[in-house]
Amino acid sequence: EVQLVESGGGSVQTGGSLRLSCAASAPPCRMAWFRQAPGKEREKVAGIDSDGDTTYTDSVKGRFTISKDDGKNSLYLQMNSLKPEDTAMYYCAGARPTVRDWRYVCPSDYSYWGQGTQVTVSS
């Protein structure tokens, strides 16, 4: 089973930047960053598919950038102009390829999860 390990979290002031990294033991077919704050449900922050197409939740558009390095099996999240509401535990996630009708298919659900890295933004 694929293992994911996040790093790069920390504490920063409002307006600051952080870059999160996720190292995968094997390449998932699709990867994403999620976050969860105390008392709130887990939220998908950004996703990237095999073609490099990206998606972002509205609250981070224009501030966060998701990217990947296929050669290193790594995922990144560049976070700029951070706000206190960005404070959360951030998780790296990957989708597991499945076989369907003799084809490999990348599902929309994420099977692999990292342990999380804490991001704290102070005002």
Side-chain angles (χ1 to χ4, degrees):
E1 186 169 320
V2 174
Q3 293 183 337
L4 305 177
V5 180
E6 304 99 331
S7 62
S11 298
V12 67
Q13 293 182 335
T14 297
S17 299
L18 285 172
R19 188 176 189 242
L20 305 184
S21 298
C22 172
S25 60
C29 57
R30 180 184 294 109
M31 301 187 77
W33 288 99
F34 288 76
R35 67 185 180 187
Q36 186 169 27
K40 296 183 179 179
E41 294 186 353
R42 186 169 56 197
E43 173 190 34
K44 185 179 180 180
V45 177
I48 187 167
D49 62 20
S50 60
D51 294 326
D53 294 330
T54 60
T55 58
Y56 300 91
T57 190
D58 288 341
S59 63
V60 308
K61 288 181 178 178
R63 300 188 298 119
F64 291 11
T65 302
I66 187 172
S67 62
K68 63 177 181 176
D69 186 332
D70 292 334
K72 297 181 178 180
N73 293 333
S74 297
L75 180 72
Y76 307 97
L77 184 67
Q78 179 66 46
M79 304 183 293
N80 298 324
S81 301
L82 284 163
K83 305 174 181 179
E85 49 264 45
D86 294 319
T87 296
M89 183 72 74
Y90 283 71
Y91 298 91
C92 175
R96 178 181 180 178
T98 61
V99 179
R100 191 178 303 167
D101 296 327
W102 302 91
R103 304 173 186 272
Y104 282 101
V105 176
C106 192
S108 59
D109 59 305
Y110 295 88
S111 299
Y112 307 120
W113 296 85
Q115 82 288 350
T117 184
Q118 179 67 39
V119 171
T120 302
V121 184
S122 62
S123 58

